[in-house]
Each structure stands twice: as C-alpha cells, then as structure tokens.
Amino acid sequence: MPELPEVETTKRGLEPLIINRTIISVHIYKKKLRWKIPSHLSKTLKQKTINNISRRAKYLLIQLNNGHLVIHLGMSGSLSVVPSTEPLKKHQHFEIKLDNLTSIRFNDPRRFGSILWQEKGEQLKVMKNLGPEPLSYDFNNDTLYNSSIGKSKNIKAFIMDSKIVVGVGNIYASESLFLAGISPKRLSGKTSKNRYKILTKAIKQILTDAINNGGTTLNDFSNVDGNPGYFSQVLSVYNRDGMPCIQCDGKIKRIIQNQRATYYCSRCQH
Ligand SMILES: [Zn+2]
C-alpha cells in the first residue's frame, strides 16, 4: 500500500514531467473508484495548464488556474507518465493527455484510489481536519506532547491518527516506535514530554530515510512499464515477527492493536 514516502516520491517524479504542460484531453475509462470520478473533469481540465503539484498527507494536488485535481492512490494505485500512443493497460482507469504527446495515467487494480476535484477557493471534506505534515516545522518537539494530554488511546494508534499528524501509516508507526524505544502499548496520555521529543525525531528520521530510499526509483518513473513500484526498504521490526531483534537479539513480537498488526521488541521498547 502506498504510504507517505511513495506518495512523496510520486510527486517528485511527476514534477518535471507535468509542470507547465497543457492538458489536451481527459479520459475516464472506469468511473467507479473509491468514489466516482467527476464526469465534468473532461470539460473542467481541458486546455488548462498545470501550474504545480504538491502533496498533503497522502493526497496529491495537481494545481490548475481553476482549482486542484486531488488524487489518492488508495491501496494499490500508481501514476505514471507514458507516451500517449502506448496501448492502454488493464488497470489504467484514468488518463490525462498532455500537449507534448505524453499522458498521465492512473493505474489501480483494487480501485480504492480516488480522483476528485477541488474548486478554487474551496476545501474538500477529505482535506479538512488534517494534522501537521510530519516533515514540516509545524510538527516539532511540542506538537505530539501537547496533543497527547488527556488522551487514553495507545501511542501507536495515537501517532497513526491523521488529526494528530498525517502520513504515519502502519509500517512507519511500528518502525518509529522501535527507533524511539517506546512500547506500542504505552498509553499516549501517559508518555513524557522527553519521550515524545525522541519519538518526533524518530518519525521524521524514518520517513526521511524512506523517501531517500525511494529516490532511487525516480529514474524509472516514466518507464513504459508505467509503474513507479513501491519500494521495499530495510525494516527493523515490521513483518519480522519471530525473527531476532537487530539490537538485542531477542524475538520480535507481533500483536494486534486497533485491528492492525503491530511489531515490536519487548526488550528494547518500554
Ligand atoms: Zn530488541
């Protein structure tokens, strides 16, 4: 599943290929993704120039003069830029043809992704109530601690809550807690300010490393293959249950918290 680092890598990969390009036509091959792709897009996007692309949480925002095309990759989505003449592949549900004979294509086998339109001056419901970006200055030593006061949920669920901080998915939550030496079972409201400081640093570090690793896939971005590929990176605890901890040689444990698998070392994380 594409997490924040993959979405950021997609953004960086698309940037040089689509900015300042003009949209010639829009093609919706399969309307029904997570939500219906608005059918007015063919009209709304036609002849508009792409001014910018940015990311907010796991949403990609393609900026035009009249608003933003908002794309979420869902469980299995990916974007690619290919020659427009390339035959359409099975799971390519949406296409934007650009003025240089290339196309942005949205590929999504499981169809949990979404393509939405945000009119200029408006804010989509899905973009509201989002917490700070984990790699921004707004997410700092005080942020997590201040929002933890009085909270009763476990710390893993707490850092995965997008109202608290966006983009910390299941893998990165486990990895960040391991790096910070904090047990995922600890209660968020009963964790010290100093430990939140260490955790904040760990979250930034884990996500930055993942993005930097993902950078290597950028060269393949416009491959005919049309798939940026979700990068597998070196993980310390995630998916390693029963295997030796890289720090203490103890066994990595797997538990279920809030219906999600959590991996941790009970010796290194308290
Ligand atoms: Zn350990």
Side-chain angles (χ1 to χ4, degrees):
M1 178 157 121
E3 296 280 355
L4 184 140
E6 283 89 350
V7 181
E8 177 64 25
T9 302
T10 301
K11 189 211 94 174
R12 293 181 187 183
L14 285 174
E15 227 159 34
L17 303 175
I18 68 167
I19 289 185
N20 294 328
R21 299 254 66 104
T22 297
I23 294 170
I24 300 301
S25 59
V26 172
H27 306 263
I28 302 169
Y29 303 114
K30 197 146 245 168
K31 230 183 190 156
K32 186 80 183 71
L33 299 179
R34 182 170 179 191
W35 296 296
K36 265 192 184 153
I37 301 177
S39 49
H40 67 78
L41 284 183
S42 332
K43 230 180 185 176
T44 312
L45 270 55
K46 201 174 176 181
Q47 292 305 320
K48 296 292 183 298
T49 298
I50 297 174
N51 297 327
N52 197 15
I53 175 166
S54 56
R55 178 191 57 75
R56 178 74 175 107
K58 293 207 303 187
Y59 291 94
L60 287 165
L61 293 103
I62 296 179
Q63 192 198 341
L64 312 172
N65 285 338
N66 50 344
H68 290 92
L69 188 67
V70 179
I71 302 174
H72 195 285
L73 302 177
M75 307 280 284
S76 59
S78 64
L79 286 161
S80 58
V81 177
V82 297
S84 301
T85 49
E86 192 185 296
L88 199 69
K89 295 206 170 75
K90 193 182 171 191
H91 300 293
Q92 291 177 336
H93 308 308
F94 181 79
E95 175 171 20
I96 296 174
K97 290 188 179 170
L98 303 172
D99 59 352
N100 63 345
L101 304 176
T102 64
S103 286
I104 306 170
R105 286 188 187 165
F106 181 73
N107 184 87
D108 189 1
R110 296 184 64 183
R111 288 197 272 145
F112 280 105
S114 48
I115 295 174
L116 305 165
W117 176 248
Q118 180 172 264
E119 196 72 30
K120 195 175 182 176
E122 279 180 22
Q123 194 180 35
L124 287 178
K125 213 172 152 190
V126 293
M127 304 297 287
K128 286 177 184 163
N129 302 317
L130 292 175
E133 284 290 327
L135 299 177
S136 73
Y137 180 73
D138 289 343
F139 182 65
N140 55 49
N141 286 343
D142 300 321
T143 321
L144 272 181
Y145 175 71
N146 289 343
S147 42
S148 76
I149 297 167
K151 293 272 179 1
S152 57
K153 57 170 99 167
N154 67 63
I155 196 160
K156 188 194 169 219
F158 175 68
I159 59 172
M160 286 181 68
D161 181 348
S162 64
K163 289 195 237 19
I164 304 300
V165 55
V166 299
V168 182
N170 201 38
I171 297 174
Y172 299 110
S174 281
E175 292 293 311
S176 302
L177 287 166
F178 176 75
L179 184 60
I182 299 173
S183 166
K185 295 196 273 190
R186 181 170 274 278
L187 295 181
S188 52
K190 294 201 167 151
T191 300
S192 70
K193 193 168 186 175
N194 190 48
R195 301 201 83 179
Y196 273 119
K197 195 173 158 183
I198 296 167
L199 181 57
T200 300
K201 203 176 156 206
I203 290 172
K204 286 181 188 277
Q205 168 99 52
I206 292 285
L207 290 173
T208 303
D209 287 352
I211 291 168
N212 290 341
N213 284 344
T216 57
T217 62
L218 286 182
N219 293 336
D220 305 322
F221 202 81
S222 50
N223 255 1
V224 274
D225 202 24
N227 199 331
Y230 307 137
F231 31 98
S232 59
Q233 40 167 155
V234 184
L235 299 171
S236 302
V237 283
Y238 191 83
N239 242 344
R240 297 194 68 244
D241 49 314
M243 290 162 83
C245 168
I246 55 164
Q247 274 178 178
C248 75
D249 230 22
K251 264 190 187 171
I252 300 297
K253 289 182 178 165
R254 177 185 190 271
I255 54 168
I256 300 291
Q257 288 180 299
N258 310 85
Q259 293 91 47
R260 306 295 300 271
T262 299
Y263 301 86
Y264 73 109
C265 173
S266 57
R267 280 202 226 165
C268 296
Q269 293 172 256
H270 302 281

